[in-house]
Amino acid sequence: MTQRPETMPEKDAIDLLIRQHEEIRSLFEEVDRSTGHAREEAFEKLCRFLAVHETAEEEVVHPLARRVIPDGDRIIDARLEEENEGKRVLQALEKMGTSAAGFEPLFAEFRKSVLEHAENEEREEFTRLREMGGTELRGLAAAIKAAEAMAPTHPHPGVESAAKNILIGTFASAADRTRDVVRKALGRDRK
């Protein structure tokens, strides 16, 4: 029996991140196969998961990779550029809503770019970080989880560095989480 990505045990940070990439793939599929209100909810879940995941990578994983991977600056700069573009598109999709006429083609393009981004991370960044070994990667997993607990829940283009995430992200996180609670209390159709 195959375990779902969210139930698979992780040994270290790389296992955690790869499991999260699998969860992202599952969430894309959930949005694709859903309609109406269920699609809105699935898309909201995807948005939140992506925002939190990317923030943790930007705060914890990318700075480490930049320092320890040969040619890390080039690799991480490319990943950050992909993330910033992804945030712009995700923000546009959020504003558009899942029932808008242009949602389907833009969502398909977004999905393709996010999955390519994840493959780039796994190939160019994660495999090299795995070489660090057990203790450091287990500690990194804890740092990722801590960053995710404080991360914004909506995309914020232009906030891709660790420093910007710490300075701006804290306020964005509080605003996002407040907005999420208010939206839930008032009903999902109010944005």
Side-chain angles (χ1 to χ4, degrees):
M1 183 167 106
T2 304
Q3 289 181 310
R4 287 191 38 89
E6 67 274 8
T7 63
M8 294 172 63
E10 52 258 348
K11 296 178 289 196
D12 60 33
I14 304 307
D15 289 341
L16 171 65
L17 294 168
I18 290 171
R19 182 186 56 76
Q20 289 180 351
H21 284 179
E22 290 301 320
E23 180 65 15
I24 290 165
R25 288 178 184 92
S26 294
L27 289 168
F28 272 115
E29 290 171 13
E30 187 177 337
V31 173
D32 279 339
R33 70 176 173 262
S34 301
T35 59
H37 184 68
R39 185 175 222 193
E40 285 177 32
E41 287 182 342
F43 181 68
E44 286 176 19
K45 194 160 76 171
L46 173 65
C47 289
R48 181 182 179 94
F49 195 92
L50 284 170
V52 168
H53 171 80
E54 292 302 332
T55 298
E57 285 183 339
E58 292 161 5
E59 287 181 7
V60 179
V61 181
H62 296 332
L64 175 65
R66 193 180 286 279
R67 288 191 313 272
V68 302
I69 295 174
D71 204 18
D73 285 335
R74 180 192 60 77
I75 291 167
I76 300 309
D77 287 347
R79 296 303 71 79
L80 292 175
E81 187 176 317
E82 292 165 358
E83 289 171 10
N84 190 43
E85 180 58 26
K87 287 178 185 180
R88 282 192 202 110
V89 175
L90 185 57
Q91 194 174 56
L93 285 165
E94 265 192 315
K95 287 179 184 174
M96 179 184 294
T98 59
S99 60
F103 182 85
E104 291 282 337
L106 187 57
F107 184 74
E109 180 183 315
F110 175 68
R111 178 182 183 162
K112 182 178 185 272
S113 68
V114 167
L115 297 180
E116 286 174 2
H117 168 74
E119 289 172 15
N120 290 338
E121 284 180 333
E122 290 172 13
R123 184 182 63 252
E124 296 180 16
E125 190 175 357
F126 298 173
T127 56
R128 292 175 167 170
L129 286 174
R130 174 112 37 218
E131 296 168 5
M132 288 175 48
T135 305
E136 291 90 354
L137 290 178
R138 281 190 296 278
L140 187 63
I144 290 168
K145 289 176 183 178
E148 288 175 343
M150 299 298 295
T153 59
H154 296 276
H156 295 278
V159 184
E160 283 74 41
S161 72
K164 285 183 182 177
N165 267 307
I166 291 167
L167 290 173
I168 299 167
T170 304
F171 298 107
S173 177
D176 286 354
R177 290 168 192 270
T178 301
R179 181 174 89 177
D180 293 345
V181 168
V182 169
R183 283 184 59 207
K184 189 171 188 167
L186 294 176
R188 297 200 187 286
D189 34 357
R190 296 185 184 152
K191 289 191 176 183

